[in-house]
Amino acid sequence: MTAIKHALQRDIFTPNDERLLSIVNVCKAGKKKKNCFLCATVTTERPVQVKVVKVKKSDKGDFYKRQITWELRDLGEVDAKDPSKENPEFDLHFEKVYRWVASSVAEKNSFISCIWKLNQRYLRKKVEFVNVSPQLLEELPKAEESAPRGEAQSVAGGDEDALDDYQELNAREEQDIEGMMEVCEYAISNAEGFAEKLSRELQVLDGANIQSIMASEKQVNILMQLLDQALSEVDNIEDKLSSYEEMLQSVKEQMDQISQSNRLIQISNTNNGKLLGEIEFLVNNMDLSKGHIRALQEGDLSSPKGIEACINASEALLQCMNVALRSGHDKLLAVKQQHHLFSDLRDTFARRLTNHLNNLFVHQFNHFSHFKMTIPQFYRSSCLSLPGHDQSSTLSQHTADLSLPKHSPLHRDLLRYAKLMEWLKNTQREKYEGLSRTYVDYMSRLYEREIKDFFEVAKIKMAGTSKEAKGKFATLPRKESALKQESESLHGSSGKLTGSTSSLNKLAVQGSNSRRSQSSSLLDMGNMSASDLDVADRTKFDKIFEQVLSELEPLCLAEQDFISKFFKLQQHATVQPPLAQPEAEEVDGGMPSRVAPQSEPRHSISSEKDLVRMMMNKIFQSIETELNSLIALGDKIDSFHSLYMLVKMSHHVWTAENVDPASYLSTTLGNVLVTVKRNFDKCISGQIKQMEEVKISKKSKVGILPFVTSFEEFAELAETIFRSAERRGDLDKAYVKLIRAVFMNVEKVANESQKTPRDVVMMENFHHIFSTLSRLKISCLEAERREGKHKYTEHLQSYVINSLGQPLEKLNHFFEGVEARVAQGVREEEVSYQLAFNKQELRKVIKEYPGKEVKKGLDNLYKKVDKHLCEEESLLQVVWHSMQDEFIRQYKHFEDLIGRCYPGSGITMEFTIKDMLEYFSSIAQSH
């Protein structure tokens, strides 16, 4: 093994500046034995690198080659398999586990021991050794002692010991050696002589050193005496220092006492400063001035100065009560007393404020109620004092007194307490909710009376616009009928249901002005075919309905704005409602209806906007019912009123949604709009039903059907009303339904007509429909307009062709037979040889229609056409001109057949085209 080690060192490691420290002959475990060597090496240059190299002997010679090199720092674990038994197997854990079997246990132990030493020296014990005997991991393993001394020394011990004893020369030593070698000429050539020379010089230097030491003994004795003197001086100094130390010890004790006193004084000052800060904090944040206390206890809540003082005092009280106390403050007696004082002041002022606002609500309610009760008597006495006026007095006189009292003075007075209400909301929730319920209760009763009286007057005026008011008004409630009976004998009125006025926001004013300008555009009704009385009545109804909506809208907006400001309900928060919300339930027709207050459950409200809307529902709970009643009355008076109401209501809903889509006004008007839309649909369905039920006289001519005229009136009225409406789509759908029903029922009546030919009924009515649609230019009915024109033209041509067969009946039959023979395959020039169609038969038929007879026949035809057609549509000349063109066409057709079937016969008609034109012209002029 020693020879192999020297060979490996010489051939493989020396060229790479490496020294071989240990070697083991191994083979891989579990495979065919292919021997190789694992070598532990270190580099000769610094820094030292430790490696494990796998070396294999070449198959073709005696030289060795290195296969794999591992850095020792990459070795994670050495596993000797069994620490108690001799086992040649061991594992090395690099990037993977390598399993080896050594040729002998001694080589294995020597290699593992070498690896352990290298790990201890260079890797700071990084490698883990598992299943290795503790005796093996010593400086001199027992395995090496048991092995032969020479072999063990050669395998592992010698070089490692040499490695441990070796010390590298430093730079100074190298310079000295180089200097000595330069002085000695044979330092290189005769190394032994150079070494002997150095040895002699070393002996000389040692002798000189000994003599120098012996010569310096006298100085040493002198030095010793000086040291003895110095020691005595040190003892004296120590004695003095001891005395000084005793003196300083008493001073130290006094200074300690002074320091302790200063520390106690400093702690006391710090505590006093902190205490002063706490007292200042409590005084500054929890001290309420006497003026504020006086304002809370005795402040005047009716004067502006008193209200301002109460507001400032309440805010100061709330700030004192909400101060964030520090830890331990709540245990102080003064703090507890202040909290008790604040609670008493809060309860006292909340009670005073609640009582004052309750009294104010009652006073204002009684004031407005008294004022409201005087209105009907004043209205009636004013009407009775006037001289007689007829039922059709101007609309301005009717609508002037249709107004609701304004509550802006009440709102203005109460808004002074808005900040106090906010304070009450934050401190006394129960009293705040009680005030909310009180206000809603009083205002709901006040508004209910005002709105009911307002709608009673509106219904009287609305019913007065109809000639059938008496009969239709009999179905109203008893109170309304009694009020109607009192006013039936009156012919005019000048009383005005006006209260105090206030200016709303610009949006409400502009919306009202735009609606009034829109309603004024509906006065232009001169082109309607209905009577002037109907036009005036419908226009008055439109004005009254617009006035009702225009009065309700600012009233609701002002009340909602007041509730939001007074009760401070603009911020989003989850609150408990001060009153129960009426539930909506479905009644017949799908409209929401309010149930009785006794059955109202309390619900949690997600936001204060919902609370505002709920209070508005309670206050104005009668508006939706009254509006539906007014709409029912208007629809009963005239079903066409639903058109006006749909336009007006749609516009007001659109305006309300632009202001606040979730407001009470927007929701309520939206619900009422559903009723108006339902009435509009019912109006359309009623017209269609009337079309289907129309009956015509069997003894008189049909003419223009009543439902065609009704459709024209409806379209003219609707186009005037819906000129600038938002809900144009509803009208377009109604147009389509109506026109399809008109088309279907015109054909139905034409088929059932006995007196008037079907073509005449179709021609006249579709001509009327076409003229109406062309004049009104309704874009959604453009296809129906073209269809009407097509049907009119088609039936005009059919009627003309059927009527023209009578004046020249035999001639028509003759030439129809000629055309039949030609169609059967007879050549045209051979037709004259047919017995029934020879030239003699042709001349005989032509002689039966001289010019005089033709003119007489045409005159009879004119009279018959005149008898068929109605005067309203004025289609006689159109039909007569069409017959003239058709007659000329037939004349030319007859001449063409004569020329083709009877060539060279010289047979011609008894009259010419010029004669025919004179006949038609003279007949038309004579009638």
Side-chain angles (χ1 to χ4, degrees):
M1 183 63 71
T2 303
I4 296 175
K5 181 177 180 181
H6 287 302
L8 293 175
Q9 177 68 49
R10 181 186 66 248
D11 297 339
I12 296 178
F13 299 113
T14 299
N16 294 327
D17 297 328
E18 294 175 321
R19 285 192 298 118
L20 178 61
L21 301 181
S22 180
I23 185 173
V24 58
N25 186 7
V26 296
C27 63
K28 288 185 178 181
K31 293 187 177 181
K32 185 179 180 181
K33 293 186 178 181
K34 291 184 178 180
N35 292 338
C36 58
F37 299 97
L38 291 180
C39 305
T41 65
V42 294
T43 58
T44 58
E45 296 181 356
R46 295 189 183 266
V48 177
Q49 296 182 6
V50 184
K51 301 179 182 179
V52 177
V53 183
K54 177 184 176 183
V55 178
K56 184 180 179 182
K57 188 174 182 180
S58 176
D59 297 333
K60 298 181 180 180
D62 294 334
F63 63 91
Y64 299 90
K65 60 180 180 179
R66 60 197 298 167
Q67 281 189 323
I68 304 175
T69 302
W70 297 279
E71 295 286 345
L72 189 62
R73 64 173 176 267
D74 296 333
L75 179 62
E77 181 181 310
V78 176
D79 187 1
K81 295 300 183 179
D82 193 346
S84 58
K85 297 181 180 180
E86 293 185 352
N87 186 358
E89 296 182 0
F90 66 96
D91 296 343
L92 299 181
H93 294 246
F94 288 102
E95 73 279 0
K96 65 178 183 178
V97 179
Y98 292 91
R99 306 184 187 279
W100 307 101
V101 178
S103 59
S104 67
V105 176
E107 290 183 9
K108 166 191 167 183
N109 294 338
S110 176
F111 183 77
I112 292 177
S113 177
C114 181
I115 294 296
W116 182 78
K117 291 179 181 179
L118 294 175
N119 176 48
Q120 296 291 321
R121 181 168 184 176
Y122 295 106
L123 299 183
R124 299 179 181 177
K125 303 180 181 180
K126 179 181 177 183
V127 181
E128 295 184 7
F129 290 83
V130 182
N131 299 322
V132 179
S133 174
Q135 294 81 6
L136 187 63
L137 302 180
E138 296 177 356
E139 290 295 332
L140 293 175
K142 294 181 179 180
E144 294 181 4
E145 294 177 0
S146 61
R149 181 176 183 84
E151 184 177 357
Q153 180 73 21
S154 63
V155 173
D159 290 335
E160 182 61 29
D161 293 340
L163 181 63
D164 294 337
D165 296 338
Y166 174 76
Q167 292 184 357
E168 189 177 0
L169 296 177
N170 57 28
R172 178 66 179 275
E173 293 173 344
E174 290 180 356
Q175 291 178 359
D176 293 342
I177 291 175
E178 289 178 356
M180 288 187 295
M181 293 177 67
E182 289 176 356
V183 173
C184 183
E185 296 178 353
Y186 53 86
I188 298 175
S189 59
N190 188 2
E192 293 181 357
F194 180 64
E196 291 177 358
K197 179 182 178 181
L198 293 177
S199 178
R200 287 193 302 271
E201 291 179 355
L202 180 60
Q203 292 176 359
V204 172
L205 290 175
D206 289 340
N209 287 335
I210 293 172
Q211 292 176 1
S212 175
I213 292 171
M214 293 176 65
S216 62
E217 182 177 0
K218 184 178 181 179
Q219 283 82 2
V220 171
N221 293 330
I222 296 172
L223 179 61
M224 294 297 293
Q225 293 176 0
L226 292 175
L227 289 175
D228 292 339
Q229 295 176 1
L231 289 174
S232 63
E233 291 293 332
V234 169
D235 292 337
N236 294 331
I237 292 174
E238 286 181 353
D239 294 338
K240 292 181 179 180
L241 289 177
S242 298
S243 63
Y244 293 156
E245 185 178 3
E246 292 177 357
M247 297 172 63
L248 290 175
Q249 184 65 30
S250 62
V251 175
K252 178 177 179 298
E253 292 176 356
Q254 295 176 2
M255 292 301 296
D256 290 341
Q257 293 178 358
I258 294 173
S259 175
Q260 182 69 20
S261 299
N262 289 337
R263 186 164 60 253
L264 293 176
I265 293 173
Q266 185 177 3
I267 292 174
S268 177
N269 291 337
T270 303
N271 291 337
N272 291 334
K274 291 182 179 180
L275 179 60
L276 179 61
E278 296 294 329
I279 294 174
E280 289 178 348
F281 171 78
L282 293 176
V283 170
N284 293 335
N285 291 282
M286 296 192 68
D287 185 26
L288 196 63
S289 67
K290 293 182 179 179
H292 287 163
I293 295 175
R294 191 182 308 110
L296 291 172
Q297 292 176 342
E298 303 172 358
D300 185 8
L301 289 172
S302 57
S303 65
K305 290 184 178 180
I307 294 174
E308 184 67 23
C310 290
I311 290 174
N312 296 333
S314 63
E315 290 177 351
L317 175 62
L318 183 62
Q319 185 176 2
C320 291
M321 296 184 69
N322 292 336
V323 64
L325 297 177
R326 297 168 186 170
S327 176
H329 284 176
D330 54 345
K331 298 180 180 179
L332 297 176
L333 179 60
V335 173
K336 294 180 179 179
Q337 292 175 350
Q338 284 296 99
H339 274 304
H340 183 68
L341 174 62
F342 294 157
S343 299
D344 291 343
L345 290 174
R346 178 195 62 193
D347 296 340
T348 301
F349 182 68
R351 186 165 52 253
R352 290 181 60 238
L353 177 62
T354 303
N355 293 335
H356 180 78
L357 290 178
N358 273 325
N359 295 334
L360 190 59
F361 292 161
V362 174
H363 172 72
Q364 294 288 352
F365 172 76
N366 292 334
H367 169 73
F368 277 92
S369 297
H370 174 73
F371 174 75
K372 179 66 188 73
M373 289 173 66
T374 62
I375 295 299
Q377 287 81 1
F378 171 72
Y379 171 75
R380 297 182 185 118
S381 62
S382 300
C383 295
L384 289 169
S385 64
L386 291 176
H389 284 274
D390 58 5
Q391 192 72 12
S392 61
S393 58
T394 60
L395 183 62
S396 61
Q397 292 175 339
H398 280 275
T399 56
D401 27 302
L402 187 61
S403 61
L404 281 166
K406 303 299 185 295
H407 297 156
S408 52
L410 170 62
H411 295 166
R412 185 169 57 252
D413 293 341
L414 291 178
L415 281 177
R416 298 182 301 171
Y417 303 93
K419 290 186 177 179
L420 293 177
M421 283 298 295
E422 184 178 12
W423 175 86
L424 193 63
K425 176 183 177 182
N426 294 328
T427 57
Q428 293 283 346
R429 169 65 68 173
E430 293 182 0
K431 288 184 171 57
Y432 168 81
E433 293 178 356
L435 279 176
S436 301
R437 287 192 292 269
T438 302
Y439 176 82
V440 169
D441 181 57
Y442 280 117
M443 294 307 294
S444 62
R445 286 187 284 168
L446 177 62
Y447 276 119
E448 184 176 6
R449 276 193 259 174
E450 291 178 353
I451 291 171
K452 182 173 292 186
D453 291 340
F454 173 73
F455 275 95
E456 284 178 1
V457 177
K459 290 174 183 177
I460 293 172
K461 292 180 176 296
M462 188 179 293
T465 62
S466 173
K467 294 178 294 184
E468 301 176 358
K470 287 186 178 181
K472 294 184 177 181
F473 212 80
T475 59
L476 294 177
R478 183 180 60 82
K479 185 177 179 181
E480 299 175 358
S481 300
L483 188 58
K484 171 60 183 172
Q485 290 172 3
E486 291 182 12
S487 62
E488 278 180 343
S489 60
L490 306 179
H491 302 285
S493 62
S494 61
K496 296 184 178 181
L497 290 174
T498 56
S500 57
T501 59
S502 64
S503 60
L504 297 176
N505 52 55
K506 285 186 176 181
L507 179 58
V509 174
Q510 292 174 356
S512 177
N513 291 337
S514 65
R515 290 188 296 274
R516 294 178 190 274
S517 62
Q518 181 183 355
S519 65
S520 63
S521 66
L522 302 182
L523 293 173
D524 185 15
M525 304 287 290
N527 58 345
M528 289 182 58
S529 61
S531 65
D532 293 339
L533 182 59
D534 291 339
V535 173
D537 287 347
R538 288 172 179 171
T539 307
K540 292 173 185 176
F541 172 83
D542 174 62
K543 276 289 187 181
I544 294 171
F545 193 73
E546 170 63 26
Q547 181 71 13
V548 169
L549 296 179
S550 298
E551 288 293 324
L552 289 176
E553 182 172 342
L555 184 72
C556 294
L557 291 176
E559 185 63 33
Q560 180 168 337
D561 182 63
F562 167 75
I563 289 175
S564 298
K565 292 179 179 178
F566 182 70
F567 291 101
K568 294 298 179 182
L569 297 176
Q570 292 130 327
Q571 302 298 327
H572 290 279
T574 300
V575 298
Q576 191 69 18
L579 49 90
Q581 181 179 12
E583 284 191 342
E585 62 177 5
E586 295 295 323
V587 298
D588 293 342
M591 290 304 299
S593 174
R594 302 298 177 189
V595 298
Q598 289 79 2
S599 62
E600 296 172 352
R602 298 176 65 90
H603 298 285
S604 60
I605 304 177
S606 60
S607 70
E608 293 192 351
K609 280 191 174 182
D610 296 332
L611 180 57
V612 172
R613 189 162 54 250
M614 193 176 67
M615 295 175 70
M616 291 290 291
N617 285 333
K618 182 72 175 179
I619 292 174
F620 293 106
Q621 57 186 345
S622 62
I623 282 185
E624 187 171 339
T625 304
E626 293 293 341
L627 272 175
N628 288 331
S629 176
L630 186 69
I631 290 168
L633 174 62
D635 187 62
K636 189 171 184 179
I637 293 173
D638 187 352
S639 62
F640 279 10
H641 285 167
S642 60
L643 277 71
Y644 293 94
M645 292 187 287
L646 180 62
V647 173
K648 294 299 180 186
M649 190 60 68
S650 299
H651 183 76
H652 281 264
V653 169
W654 178 79
T655 304
E657 287 180 348
N658 286 339
V659 176
D660 184 4
S663 66
Y664 164 78
L665 181 65
S666 174
T667 304
T668 302
L669 293 183
N671 294 338
V672 176
L673 179 60
V674 174
T675 303
V676 174
K677 178 62 171 61
R678 187 177 294 113
N679 290 343
F680 175 75
D681 295 338
K682 186 166 43 174
C683 173
I684 300 303
S685 301
Q687 293 191 49
I688 294 174
K689 187 175 181 181
Q690 290 177 3
M691 295 178 193
E692 295 172 350
E693 295 176 353
V694 68
K695 301 295 182 181
I696 59 172
S697 175
K698 297 181 179 180
K699 297 181 179 180
S700 60
K701 59 184 177 182
V702 177
I704 302 302
L705 294 170
F707 57 80
V708 175
T709 306
S710 298
F711 173 77
E712 179 184 12
E713 294 178 4
F714 173 82
E716 289 176 346
L717 177 63
E719 285 301 307
T720 304
I721 297 173
F722 282 79
R723 185 174 295 128
S724 58
E726 286 82 7
R727 293 184 69 102
R728 178 76 192 189
D730 295 331
L731 179 62
D732 291 342
K733 294 177 182 178
Y735 273 148
V736 174
K737 292 181 181 179
L738 285 175
I739 198 65
R740 299 319 305 177
V742 169
F743 280 15
M744 181 179 66
N745 286 283
V746 166
E747 294 187 5
K748 175 184 175 184
V749 172
N751 293 331
E752 296 174 356
S753 174
Q754 298 178 2
K755 184 70 175 178
T756 306
R758 179 180 183 276
D759 289 330
V760 173
V761 177
M762 298 286 287
M763 173 184 64
E764 289 182 329
N765 284 279
F766 277 107
H767 177 267
H768 191 86
I769 294 171
F770 167 70
S771 301
T772 300
L773 296 180
S774 299
R775 174 166 49 85
L776 297 178
K777 297 180 180 178
I778 303 174
S779 58
C780 67
L781 297 181
E782 182 61 27
E784 284 75 9
R785 186 187 71 84
R786 292 194 296 267
E787 183 180 354
K789 181 180 179 181
H790 172 72
K791 289 181 178 293
Y792 154 68
T793 306
E794 176 185 358
H795 289 285
L796 171 62
Q797 189 68 22
S798 174
Y799 177 66
V800 169
I801 293 175
N802 292 333
S803 298
L804 278 179
Q806 296 175 2
L808 304 176
E809 184 176 359
K810 293 182 180 180
L811 196 59
N812 272 312
H813 289 327
F814 182 84
F815 282 110
E816 286 177 359
V818 171
E819 290 176 343
R821 292 295 186 274
V822 173
Q824 292 173 0
V826 179
R827 297 174 59 185
E828 292 181 348
E829 58 271 14
E830 295 179 357
V831 171
S832 59
Y833 297 108
Q834 297 288 325
L835 182 61
F837 301 101
N838 56 25
K839 297 177 182 178
Q840 290 77 10
E841 292 296 327
L842 176 59
R843 289 191 181 95
K844 186 187 299 184
V845 173
I846 289 175
K847 285 182 180 181
E848 291 184 7
Y849 293 99
K852 184 177 180 181
E853 291 296 328
V854 171
K855 183 178 180 180
K856 182 179 179 180
L858 291 175
D859 187 64
N860 293 331
L861 178 61
Y862 185 89
K863 293 177 181 179
K864 192 164 189 178
V865 171
D866 186 23
K867 185 178 179 181
H868 287 162
L869 299 178
C870 65
E871 296 178 358
E872 295 91 339
E873 208 59 23
S874 301
L875 289 178
L876 179 58
Q877 295 302 323
V878 177
V879 174
W880 189 244
H881 189 271
S882 298
M883 286 185 171
Q884 174 181 300
D885 294 341
E886 180 63 24
F887 200 93
I888 293 174
R889 188 192 64 78
Q890 289 187 12
Y891 180 86
K892 292 180 179 179
H893 179 62
F894 294 158
E895 283 194 334
D896 180 62
L897 286 176
I898 292 173
R900 288 187 285 113
C901 297
Y902 303 94
S905 63
I907 301 175
T908 59
M909 303 290 286
E910 294 290 332
F911 53 92
T912 63
I913 293 178
K914 184 178 180 180
D915 297 334
M916 284 191 302
L917 294 175
E918 291 179 359
Y919 299 157
F920 276 96
S921 177
S922 62
I923 292 172
Q925 292 176 3
S926 63
H927 292 280

